Amino acid sequence: MTDKRVEEKVALPTEESRNQSRRAFLKGTAAVAGGVLFTKAASADYDPKKAVAPYAGKKEITEPLKDGPWRKRLGFGVRKYPYGVPSPDVSYIQRRTLEWLTPDSMASITMTPLQHLHGIITPNGLHFERFHGGAADIKAKDHRLVIHGLVERPLIFTVDDLKRFPSISRIHFIECPANGAMEWKGVQLNSVQWTHGMMSCVEYTGVRLSDLLKEAGIKLDKARWIIPEGADASGMSRSIPLEIAMDDCFVAYAQNGEPLRREQGYPIRLVVPGCEANMWVKYLRRIKVSDVPLQHREETSKYTELMPDGTAQRFSWYMEPNSVITYPSPDFKMQGPGKYYVRGLAWSGRGKVAHVDVSFDGGKNWHEAHFTSPVLDKAWTRFEIEWDWDGSEAFLMSRVTDETGYVQPPMPQMRAIEGTNNVYHRTAMVTWRVHAWNSKNGGLIENVQY
Ligand SMILES: Nc1nc2c(c(=O)[nH]1)N[C@H]1C(S)=C(S)[C@@H](COP(=O)(O)O)O[C@H]1N2
Ligand SMILES: [Mo]
């Protein structure tokens, strides 16, 4: 049966199609009451002579289906994997690091294989990692969270204490502001895993930070900042303005339905929706409420944006709207001319995605894509658009507009303003070049910059 909540949140590209879907939905509900949802909905525009994807599966059926060994003997039983693992057939789908980026033995960055993900949720084992001092191995029973500073009642919590508070679950993307950094000066890397993989999107569960701050009796007349601190060897700290802290931040103890992974800050991490991942302090052990920012190294020497005139811009909290085509993308090769469904991800730290345009000719003409996932606040949104590839050279680009009207810029525009000293917040469009089918590199896809 259709999930009403999901159906309602799926935004469609035009006002007209929005209304159509609304009508279809209303019709659907009426039909459910009558118990004939599927036959009614399916027969409306179904033509058995018309194919949806006319080039897929168009082969002659000349032999019977193969019976492999899996057909001839019993498969593995229920006790083999008390905690399930992916099929070895997809073992190539891994987070990866670049040797020249993190050459030390304790690799400090791995990236999410966005090209192989579907929908909007990143599985926990594929979540990107960024450690400034390695991943801490902490037992929940040994962990404490202290809240102190400008509060009436300094408090110390165990993880079990936190679970006694009201909980919330939210789907949000998390993006390191250095995502895309290697592409600031020009194209370097031929995979969406390298160009955009310093981000993920998961469902977090935890307790509202505002509830904890109120529990400690935060002195709202004096408090202006909170200073979270991690328990790991990096001593990660950032200054977060109180407005953000009291808005939609929370202390998460679960990710995608299970306890956080150690890589993500087990047993607890701060979630700062829409903001730089650097502020999402892992292994959270202390929150100081303050009237001034900390001026920590992570907000002075790093995570600041070096401008062309040599000054640095500090405190760029929110991640700008961004989008990328994940299929087809440089990890794939076109299968020949014909119909494709081009798909990708769009997100904005400032709220919801409003619409996504796709170009097949390097930005000369734009076509509005539709959304195939729910459209959530500060979360990935999955877009898709039909494309009839005639086999000639093509340049694929996507451009997001968020609900505040911010339009994703082309790279030359971003570079004209910010120069090339900066490494953070590179959120301009990227371009995938599709080589003509009958050229030397027929069907290959590569990262080029416009
Ligand atoms: N305690 C702690 N928190 C931290 C970090 C860290 O090294 N230690 N790295 C930060 C940075 S720079 C990023 S991008 C994100 C990465 O989160 P992830 O490893 O869960 O992907 O965590 C942030 N929080
Ligand atoms: Mo980061």
Side-chain angles (χ1 to χ4, degrees), residues 76-91:
F76 62 76
V78 291
R79 278 183 199 25
K80 184 158 181 186
Y81 298 109
Y83 191 102
V85 296
S87 163
D89 201 30
V90 290
S91 60

Side-chain angles (χ1 to χ4, degrees), residues 85-325:
V85 296
S87 163
D89 201 30
V90 290
S91 60
Y92 60 92
I93 304 181
Q94 292 180 2
R95 45 189 178 199
R96 291 180 196 279
T97 192
L98 289 159
E99 208 37 56
W100 57 264
L101 187 66
T102 55
D104 54 313
S105 56
M106 191 157 61
S108 58
I109 304 176
T110 64
M111 298 182 222
T112 293
L114 301 176
Q115 68 276 24
H116 299 304
L117 297 190
H118 303 277
I120 59 170
I121 299 293
T122 309
N124 287 338
L126 296 177
H127 195 292
F128 84 103
E129 301 159 285
R130 178 73 179 99
F131 311 133
H132 294 245
D137 209 342
I138 301 174
K139 289 193 171 63
K141 69 170 173 46
D142 297 332
H143 193 75
R144 299 289 181 273
L145 170 64
V146 162
I147 300 184
H148 70 128
L150 296 170
V151 296
E152 296 291 344
R153 298 173 291 281
L155 292 174
I156 181 160
F157 298 98
T158 64
V159 178
D160 283 341
D161 287 338
L162 295 175
K163 290 183 182 158
R164 294 175 65 172
F165 278 81
S167 67
I168 54 165
S169 296
R170 294 278 185 278
I171 294 171
H172 288 301
F173 77 84
I174 165 171
E175 182 179 20
C176 175
N179 203 15
M182 287 93 79
E183 306 277 302
W184 252 110
K185 294 185 169 68
V187 163
Q188 276 206 84
L189 296 158
N190 234 2
S191 171
V192 67
Q193 184 158 9
W194 306 135
T195 59
H196 293 77
M198 268 188 253
M199 63 160 178
S200 299
C201 183
V202 297
E203 185 206 62
Y204 297 99
T205 299
V207 42
R208 278 185 193 81
L209 183 57
S210 58
D211 283 352
L212 296 176
L213 294 174
K214 285 179 199 158
E215 189 75 1
I218 181 169
K219 296 179 179 165
L220 285 174
D221 53 334
K222 298 199 195 96
R224 293 291 171 271
W225 299 82
I226 63 147
I227 320 282
E229 179 192 62
D232 57 327
S234 78
M236 177 60 64
S237 275
R238 282 290 299 257
S239 310
I240 302 178
L242 195 65
E243 303 83 76
I244 295 180
M246 295 293 278
D247 180 18
D248 53 358
C249 290
F250 57 103
V251 176
Y253 42 76
Q255 180 178 302
N256 288 339
E258 62 180 1
L260 288 179
R261 294 283 170 96
R262 287 169 302 178
E263 300 93 303
Q264 270 64 60
Y266 179 83
I268 49 171
R269 99 172 298 163
L270 191 60
V271 172
V272 192
C275 291
E276 297 186 334
N278 185 252
M279 298 157 70
W280 302 43
V281 172
K282 304 192 275 190
Y283 323 102
L284 181 67
R285 72 160 183 181
R286 188 162 70 98
I287 296 174
K288 184 176 179 185
V289 181
S290 171
D291 53 352
V292 288
L294 180 66
Q295 319 287 10
H296 190 264
R297 64 165 195 274
E298 300 292 331
E299 54 200 26
T300 50
S301 75
K302 283 203 243 152
Y303 298 99
T304 58
E305 286 152 74
L306 197 51
M307 294 289 115
D309 66 0
T311 61
Q313 190 172 303
R314 219 172 30 150
F315 295 143
S316 306
W317 293 301
Y318 289 100
M319 293 308 297
E320 293 80 11
N322 202 342
S323 71
V324 66
I325 292 170

Side-chain angles (χ1 to χ4, degrees), residues 3 21 48 58 106 122 179 248 253 263 326 358 360 371 420:
D3 181 327
S21 108
K58 199 177 162 196
M106 191 157 61
T122 309
N179 203 15
D248 53 358
Y253 42 76
E263 300 93 303
T326 55
V358 171
F360 306 115
F371 301 139
T420 51

